[in-house]
């Protein structure tokens, strides 16, 4: 997990920025950023409407897992596989608001968090650093200065491992799943919300005059399962970490079916 998070995914992000900046790309990335911010606000409203009758420990896990999806380990490789380097670029930008919210509002669900800790968590995240470096690379490419071939090829080769390594990691996590962990009613209902209903509602963006690829990438990334940080935080701050693991396991296993369906639907439905 550390190798993927700190080395492989940042290299994938850097590689996706190796292109000249054009008005179209600038406009599209801004669209993705605005959409992502809007989706985080949508999650906030969703969390105040649903889960009100759940027990407190479970309610916190449900709210956090709704707001923070596994769009990093799974979503970025999937976006790259379906939409290429431009899809990966958009996915990197899409994740910026989520990473900010997950270490601020998300962390505050489990405990009181200081503003200094939020800033530190956000600014020192390897993928966030890679995005800022990627912007510098894109600007330099636009100015006619390219990375040395050896450096560019090395970044590309390492970044190319992201899909395979991410899927191996998910497989390793799922190898310890007990069948009974998938029979939790609340986890199944949550998975329906997280994997199908929320992407469908976000898909209403089709009615807006936005860039087609921006919408497709945004919808695809909202169809990702719960993030593994749900368990980490629940265990650290003495919440219902067993239930959090059930949310992750159930939604991740079901996503093996739903993600291809959502991706296929996005490529067939006219925008």
């Amino acid at each position: 997990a550390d190798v993927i998070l700190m080395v492989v995914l940042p290299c994938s992000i850097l590689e996706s920025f190796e292109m000249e900046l054009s008005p179209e790309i600038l406009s599209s990335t801004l669209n993705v950023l605005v959409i992502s911010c809007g989706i985080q606000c949508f999650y906030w409203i969703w969390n105040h409407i649903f889960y009100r009758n759940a027990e407190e420990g479970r309610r916190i896990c449900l709210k956090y897992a709704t707001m923070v999806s596994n769009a990093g380990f799974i979503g970025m490789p999937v976006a790259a596989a379906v939409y290429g380097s431009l899809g990966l670029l958009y996915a990197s930008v899409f994740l910026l608001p989520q990473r900010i919210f997950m270490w601020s509002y998300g962390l505050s669900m489990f405990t009181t968090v200081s503003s200094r800790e939020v800033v530190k968590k956000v600014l020192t995240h390897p993928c966030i650093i890679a995005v800022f470096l990627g912007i510098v690379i894109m600007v330099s490419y636009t100015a006619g200065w390219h990375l040395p071939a050896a450096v560019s090829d090395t970044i590309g080769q390492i970044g190319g491992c992201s899909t395979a390594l991410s899927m191996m990691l998910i497989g390793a996590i799922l190898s310890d799943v007990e069948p009974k962990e998938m029979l939790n009613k609340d986890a199944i209902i949550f998975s329906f919300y997280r994997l199908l209903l929320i992407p469908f509602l976000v898909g209403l963006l089709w009615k807006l005059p936005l860039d087609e690829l921006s919408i497709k990438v945004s919808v695809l990334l909202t169809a990702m399962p719960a993030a593994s940080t749900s368990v980490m935080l629940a265990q650290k701050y003495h919440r219902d970490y067993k239930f959090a693991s059930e949310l992750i396991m159930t939604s991740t296993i079901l996503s093996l079916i739903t993600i291809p369906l959502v991706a296929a639907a996005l490529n067939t439905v006219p925008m």
Side-chain angles (χ1 to χ4, degrees):
D2 288 341
V3 170
I4 295 172
L5 183 64
M6 297 183 180
V7 180
V8 178
L9 284 179
C11 284
S12 295
I13 293 171
L14 290 175
E15 183 186 17
S16 70
F17 277 88
E18 291 186 40
M19 62 178 68
E20 292 185 8
L21 182 63
S22 66
E24 291 78 15
I25 292 178
L26 180 60
S27 174
S28 297
T29 51
L30 289 176
N31 283 340
V32 171
L33 188 61
V34 171
I35 291 172
S36 182
C37 290
I39 289 173
Q40 289 300 317
C41 294
F42 167 72
Y43 290 153
W44 184 83
I45 296 172
W46 180 282
N47 284 339
H48 281 74
I49 296 175
F50 295 85
Y51 316 135
R52 286 182 296 180
N53 297 326
E55 182 270 328
E56 183 183 4
R58 290 195 168 196
R59 183 170 66 250
I60 292 173
C61 295
L62 287 165
K63 291 169 67 175
Y64 182 88
T66 297
M67 187 189 71
V68 182
S69 70
N70 204 342
F73 280 131
I74 300 180
M76 290 180 64
V78 169
V82 177
Y83 300 115
S85 60
L86 197 55
L88 180 58
L89 171 63
Y90 291 174
S92 304
V93 174
F94 181 91
L95 281 170
L96 286 174
Q98 175 175 297
R99 297 199 189 281
I100 293 173
F101 273 80
M102 72 183 288
W103 294 121
S104 53
Y105 172 59
L107 190 57
S108 69
M109 294 179 187
F110 294 92
T111 185
T112 302
V113 58
S114 67
S115 57
R116 178 177 297 181
E117 185 177 357
V118 171
V119 173
K120 180 180 178 181
K121 287 282 189 181
V122 171
L123 294 183
T124 59
H125 195 288
C127 292
I128 298 293
I129 295 173
V131 169
F132 290 134
L133 290 177
I135 293 173
V136 174
I137 291 174
M138 181 179 286
V139 172
S140 68
Y141 268 56
T142 305
W145 185 83
H146 292 192
L147 291 174
V151 175
S152 179
D153 291 345
T154 301
I155 291 174
Q157 292 294 331
I158 296 174
C161 300
S162 62
T163 302
L165 290 180
S166 296
M167 295 304 105
M168 288 175 64
L169 174 64
I170 297 302
I173 294 173
L174 296 180
S175 67
D176 293 328
V177 176
E178 294 291 338
K180 62 182 181 181
E181 292 185 3
M182 287 193 61
L183 300 179
N184 185 296
K185 178 182 176 182
D186 290 337
I188 293 175
I189 293 175
F190 163 82
S191 298
F192 170 73
Y193 290 160
R194 172 76 268 177
L195 303 175
L196 293 174
L197 182 57
I198 289 177
F200 173 77
L201 294 176
V202 174
L204 296 177
L205 291 170
W206 294 342
K207 304 298 182 181
L208 300 178
L210 298 173
D211 172 67
E212 179 177 317
L213 185 57
S214 300
I215 298 176
K216 287 185 175 182
V217 171
S218 299
V219 173
L220 181 63
L221 292 182
T222 59
M224 297 298 137
S228 57
T229 49
S230 305
V231 173
M232 299 175 192
L233 293 175
Q235 187 170 24
K236 181 176 181 179
Y237 296 109
H238 310 292
R239 300 295 182 177
D240 194 345
Y241 64 88
K242 181 179 179 181
F243 177 66
S245 78
E246 291 173 352
L247 293 179
I248 293 173
M249 297 303 177
T250 303
S251 61
T252 300
I253 290 176
L254 293 178
S255 73
L256 300 178
I257 301 172
T258 60
I259 290 176
L261 291 177
V262 172
L266 290 172
N267 288 333
T268 55
V269 175
M271 303 293 286

